[in-house]
């Protein structure tokens, strides 16, 4: 199905704060990430039609939600929104909460039974909101938003109040919404891990502006964005695909732009896509290919850039395979011993602690 994107170019002025944000929300999950107070929630409220002072344009395909001449009120926009607190109607049962949304749906949307099954709320239908756990309440809130028949689903830190275990249960449910229900999702979060786990694209916000937007691997791997991402150490995100299993040694073989990697401890299947997060501390540089090493993965690399930092630290940008970038953090003394120079060929050993992120 061809799902039209949501395009916006918005402005909002308040005392001490200004929002000026333009972008496109395509199919998939778009994460909005930034420091507290940068305007993430305000952007979602503008898209939903909750901010009366917001000016500019919002278009969903050929349908105009807002322009200089048109301003659809919030209840007429095909937008579903879920907040950090579930905001269920306390005087209605779960079944009645969902029925309220289903009767007032603003367009064609997912079937009741499909939503109830997908969010796993069958056993909750006759419960009251006060009797639900935090995770159960958020699953019901998601189901209710989907049953309104939205063309766009806005999620404002919906998992922030949940513990790690509950988050891990709900993240895959959210990740599956765009493909299963053909509804793009905008997901506000303060967690880098949630972005890596969930999103296809990311918008970085600072002081009411979208400073960067693109695929997760593009944005997270760009040094210009590391400060906005929470002063990250030099990091790259690689997309990988499971190509085989080595059952004799309990290893999974992954294909990446840097070459093939072998990792242990993965419960995955051939053809599955993964993300790999490599920090500069995951990489060890050696002048020649080691005959034997406890580190399973050795890549032929070329030095691309050398940056000196205080306290004797050197960050080295490297290229491997078909152009994959990775970083190494070494001491100035080690750099001298390796005779580092742009274009020099070395070998990079990848530590097994490299973070695997299912996607």
């Amino acid at each position: 199905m061809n799902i039209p994107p949501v395009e916006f170019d918005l402005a909002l002025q308040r005392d001490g704060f200004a929002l000026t944000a333009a972008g496109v929300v395509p199919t998939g999950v778009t994460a909005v990430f930034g420091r507290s107070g940068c305007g993430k929630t305000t952007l979602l409220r503008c898209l939903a039609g909750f901010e009366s002072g917001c000016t500019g344009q919002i278009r969903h395909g050929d349908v105009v939600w807002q322009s200089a001449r048109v301003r659809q009120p919030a209840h007429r926009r095909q937008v579903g929104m879920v907040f950090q607190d579930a905001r269920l109607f306390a005087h209605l049962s779960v079944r009645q909460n969902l029925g309220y949304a289903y009767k007032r749906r603003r367009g064609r949307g997912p079937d009741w039974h499909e939503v109830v099954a997908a969010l796993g709320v069958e056993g909750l239908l006759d419960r009251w909101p006060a009797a639900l756990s935090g995770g159960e309440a958020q699953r019901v809130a998601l189901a209710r938003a989907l049953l309104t028949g939205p063309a766009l689903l806005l999620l404002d830190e919906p998992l922030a109040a949940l513990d790690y275990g509950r988050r891990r249960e709900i993240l895959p449910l959210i990740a599956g919404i765009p493909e299963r229900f053909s509804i793009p999702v905008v997901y506000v979060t303060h967690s880098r891990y949630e972005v890596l786990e969930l999103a296809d694209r990311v918008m970085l916000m600072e002081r009411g502006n979208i400073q960067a937007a693109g695929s997760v691997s593009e944005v997270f791997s760009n040094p210009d964005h590391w400060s906005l991402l929470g002063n990250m150490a030099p990091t790259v995100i690689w997309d990988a695909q499971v190509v085989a299993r080595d059952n004799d040694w309990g290893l999974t073989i992954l294909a990446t732009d840097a070459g093939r990697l072998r990792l242990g401890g993965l419960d995955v299947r051939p053809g599955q896509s993964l993300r790999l997060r490599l920090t500069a501390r995951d990489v060890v540089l050696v002048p020649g290919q080691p005959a034997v090493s406890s580190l399973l993965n050795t890549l032929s690399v070329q030095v691309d850039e050398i940056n000196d930092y205080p306290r004797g630290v050197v960050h080295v940008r490297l290229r491997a395979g078909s152009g994959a970038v990775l970083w190494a953090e070494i001491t100035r003394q080690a750099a001298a011993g390796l005779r580092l120079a742009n274009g020099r060929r070395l070998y990079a050993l990848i530590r097994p602690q490299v973070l695997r992120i299912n996607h």
Side-chain angles (χ1 to χ4, degrees):
M1 179 181 294
N2 184 22
I3 304 171
V6 174
E7 302 172 74
F8 62 90
D9 188 348
L10 301 171
L12 177 69
Q13 286 287 149
R14 289 183 186 153
D15 290 341
F17 176 78
L19 175 79
T20 306
V24 178
V25 181
T27 304
V29 177
T30 299
V32 182
F33 185 91
R35 300 181 179 94
S36 296
C38 71
K40 302 186 299 294
T41 295
T42 302
L43 173 60
L44 260 62
R45 289 179 56 83
C46 287
L47 291 171
F50 296 154
E51 293 287 348
S52 59
C54 177
T55 61
Q57 301 182 17
I58 307 173
R59 178 185 295 273
H60 174 240
D62 296 329
V63 179
V64 176
W65 290 350
Q66 182 173 318
S67 70
R69 296 183 178 183
V70 175
R71 186 181 183 87
Q72 294 279 8
H75 68 276
R76 292 193 179 276
R77 300 185 187 190
Q78 280 186 265
V79 174
M81 191 158 182
V82 178
F83 301 89
Q84 183 172 331
D85 53 329
R87 304 192 185 186
L88 302 176
F89 298 127
H91 64 291
L92 300 179
S93 68
V94 169
R95 188 188 304 275
Q96 291 168 329
N97 265 277
L98 300 184
Y100 181 89
Y102 196 59
K103 290 176 183 177
R104 290 161 178 79
R105 59 199 295 148
R106 295 183 290 274
R108 297 180 61 185
D111 175 77
W112 167 286
H113 297 289
E114 186 179 11
V115 169
V116 167
L119 275 299
V121 297
E122 302 100 323
L124 307 177
L125 292 175
D126 295 321
R127 303 255 297 272
W128 294 91
L132 301 176
S133 69
E136 290 170 339
Q138 285 301 73
R139 283 192 282 125
V140 173
L142 280 168
R144 186 176 65 176
L146 288 169
L147 287 173
T148 64
L152 176 66
L153 184 62
L154 306 177
L155 307 182
D156 187 12
E157 300 199 57
L159 309 184
L162 305 183
D163 60 33
Y164 177 78
R166 294 291 181 265
R167 291 186 193 190
R168 298 291 301 141
E169 291 175 1
I170 298 177
L171 277 171
L173 301 179
I174 296 173
I177 287 173
E179 182 174 357
R180 183 160 190 172
F181 299 114
S182 301
I183 300 170
V185 174
V186 179
Y187 186 94
V188 163
T189 180
H190 62 272
S191 167
R192 288 197 306 249
Y193 188 86
E194 286 184 4
V195 177
L196 294 172
E197 174 85 5
L198 183 66
D200 303 292
R201 292 172 51 83
V202 60
M203 296 178 178
L204 293 183
M205 290 196 71
E206 184 179 38
R207 298 179 182 176
N209 296 298
I210 296 174
Q211 300 290 336
S215 71
V216 170
S217 57
E218 289 170 347
V219 172
F220 270 68
S221 302
N222 189 329
D224 294 339
H225 306 325
W226 289 339
S227 61
L228 293 179
L229 288 164
N231 294 314
M232 287 198 319
T235 299
V236 293
I237 307 298
W238 287 352
D239 295 317
Q241 187 171 45
V242 179
V243 293
R245 285 279 301 169
D246 185 340
N247 293 320
D248 291 338
W249 299 106
L251 299 173
T252 300
I253 293 86
L254 304 176
T256 75
D257 287 343
R260 295 206 168 189
L261 302 178
R262 294 172 293 165
L263 296 179
L266 293 182
D267 182 15
V268 291
R269 62 187 182 279
Q272 185 173 341
S273 296
L274 301 176
R275 281 191 180 131
L276 306 179
R277 188 181 75 185
L278 287 80
T279 72
R281 298 183 183 93
D282 296 321
V283 179
V284 177
L285 294 179
V286 293
Q289 185 168 15
V292 179
S293 170
S294 62
L295 302 181
L296 289 174
N297 298 295
T298 303
L299 300 174
S300 175
V301 296
Q302 179 174 305
V303 176
D304 197 44
E305 183 180 307
I306 304 167
N307 299 308
D308 279 320
Y309 287 87
R311 296 181 293 277
V313 173
V314 176
H315 289 163
V316 187
R317 188 172 72 180
L318 307 152
R319 291 194 180 272
S322 59
V325 173
L326 64 160
W327 291 82
E329 181 177 286
I330 63 177
T331 65
R332 194 171 297 155
Q333 181 182 18
L338 289 167
R339 294 180 290 123
L340 285 190
N342 287 345
R344 177 159 167 70
R345 304 293 308 190
L346 297 167
Y347 287 89
L349 281 64
I350 311 299
R351 296 183 188 277
Q353 293 89 342
V354 58
L355 181 62
R356 289 88 62 187
I357 304 164
N358 292 336
H359 185 65

